[in-house]
Amino acid sequence: MRSALDRLAAFLNYFGRVVSLGYQTIVVTFTLPFNFKRFIFQAKRIGLDSLPIVSVVALFTGMILAFQSTYLLKKLSSEIYIANIVALSLVRELGPVFTALIVAGRVGAAITAEVGTMTVTEQVDALRTLATNPIKYLVVPRFLGMVIMLPLLVIYTNLVGIMGGYIICVYRLGVSSAMYIQMTFQSLVLKDLYSGLIKSMVFGMLIALISCYEGLRAAGGAEGVGRSTTLSVVISFILVITTDCIFTALFYFIL
């Protein structure tokens, strides 16, 4: 019983420290001066540099969804609804979640390793000595880059995934191109689009804060940086899945 309480207290303490970092990040974001070059560098690193892996995952996800839907709907002679299933699955759930997991594994881990290396080599302490706020210098550009670029990546993932379904339906099943596009637009409503974008913004905040927090508290040399990097990826994955479940319940069963 005592062990369970200790774990709960440790979790609340950890969560409180991350929330505190988030509050400080938002406050210093709106204080001048703003380093636009560092923000552009992080935005490119998070967005453009992630396009190749996101493209491959999105394309094959759309194709797999089309194949699996075909397997089920062919028995009912309802192949025309494959476009609906692909579009709804991607825009509501798979697009935001897959993109967030890819970014957490690729960019989030790199952020923790980078900031953690600066922490254990006392470069973060040197910034404080030079009267430079580490949160404004290190966290803000990564936080803004993640919050802005992740929704854009999700839009791109949805389009590529729908294109994957289009390839299977049009060139494998013989569905007309116009019919696939029409069924895709018919299946989506505005709520599907904005709920996916809101989720992706929250995922971006969580990944950036967890990655930077683990980097800033890294200790114990290279081994400690490795531990923090692994921990940041694991916690980011858990939070993305948990938050997605909460948002799905809110958008489609409560609100």
Side-chain angles (χ1 to χ4, degrees):
M1 183 68 181
R2 177 164 186 156
S3 176
L5 289 175
D6 289 343
R7 289 181 182 177
L8 178 62
F11 169 76
L12 293 176
N13 183 43
Y14 182 92
F15 188 70
R17 288 176 183 273
V18 173
V19 171
S20 174
L21 176 62
Y23 172 74
Q24 294 176 64
T25 303
I26 291 172
V27 169
V28 296
T29 297
F30 296 101
T31 59
L32 295 175
F34 180 73
N35 194 326
F36 196 70
K37 284 185 179 177
R38 291 186 65 78
F39 162 70
I40 292 294
F41 175 79
Q42 294 299 330
K44 173 186 172 296
R45 181 189 185 194
I46 295 165
L48 288 180
D49 295 352
S50 298
L51 284 181
I53 186 170
V54 166
S55 302
V56 172
V57 172
L59 182 67
F60 283 105
T61 300
M63 295 173 77
I64 291 167
L65 278 173
F67 275 129
Q68 291 290 355
S69 304
T70 304
Y71 180 76
L72 293 172
L73 295 178
K74 207 168 184 179
K75 298 175 182 176
L76 304 173
S77 300
S78 304
E79 294 94 328
I80 192 63
Y81 294 108
I82 295 172
N84 302 49
I85 293 174
V86 172
L88 285 175
S89 303
L90 282 166
V91 175
R92 284 186 180 182
E93 298 297 332
L94 297 182
V97 172
F98 276 7
T99 309
L101 295 181
I102 291 169
V103 170
R106 182 188 168 276
V107 184
I111 288 174
T112 304
E114 189 178 49
V115 177
T117 302
M118 293 182 69
T119 302
V120 298
T121 55
E122 300 182 350
Q123 292 180 60
V124 175
D125 292 333
L127 287 175
R128 292 193 182 96
T129 305
L130 296 169
T132 301
N133 186 339
I135 293 176
K136 187 168 183 61
Y137 187 78
L138 296 173
V139 181
V140 169
R142 291 165 175 80
F143 180 80
L144 289 179
M146 196 72 81
V147 170
I148 293 172
M149 295 310 294
L150 195 53
L152 296 178
L153 274 176
V154 167
I155 293 172
Y156 176 78
T157 300
N158 293 338
L159 292 175
V160 175
I162 290 171
M163 181 60 69
Y166 174 93
I167 292 170
I168 299 302
C169 285
V170 174
Y171 298 105
R172 176 70 177 81
L173 302 177
V175 176
S176 74
S177 175
M179 182 60 75
Y180 183 89
I181 295 171
Q182 181 186 349
M183 294 300 288
T184 298
F185 279 107
Q186 277 185 0
S187 63
L188 297 174
V189 296
L190 187 60
K191 186 178 186 180
D192 299 324
L193 300 175
Y194 73 71
S195 65
L197 293 179
I198 290 173
K199 281 196 290 188
S200 60
M201 287 180 67
V202 175
F203 293 161
M205 291 181 192
L206 292 173
I207 295 167
L209 290 175
I210 293 295
S211 303
C212 291
Y213 175 73
E214 287 297 330
L216 288 171
R217 75 167 193 160
E223 189 180 346
V225 174
R227 272 198 307 272
S228 294
T229 303
T230 304
L231 198 56
S232 78
V233 174
V234 172
I235 294 174
S236 296
F237 275 32
I238 293 171
L239 286 179
V240 165
I241 298 296
T242 306
T243 309
D244 181 63
C245 182
I246 294 170
F247 272 116
T248 299
L250 279 175
F251 281 121
Y252 294 101
F253 294 96
I254 297 175
L255 298 178

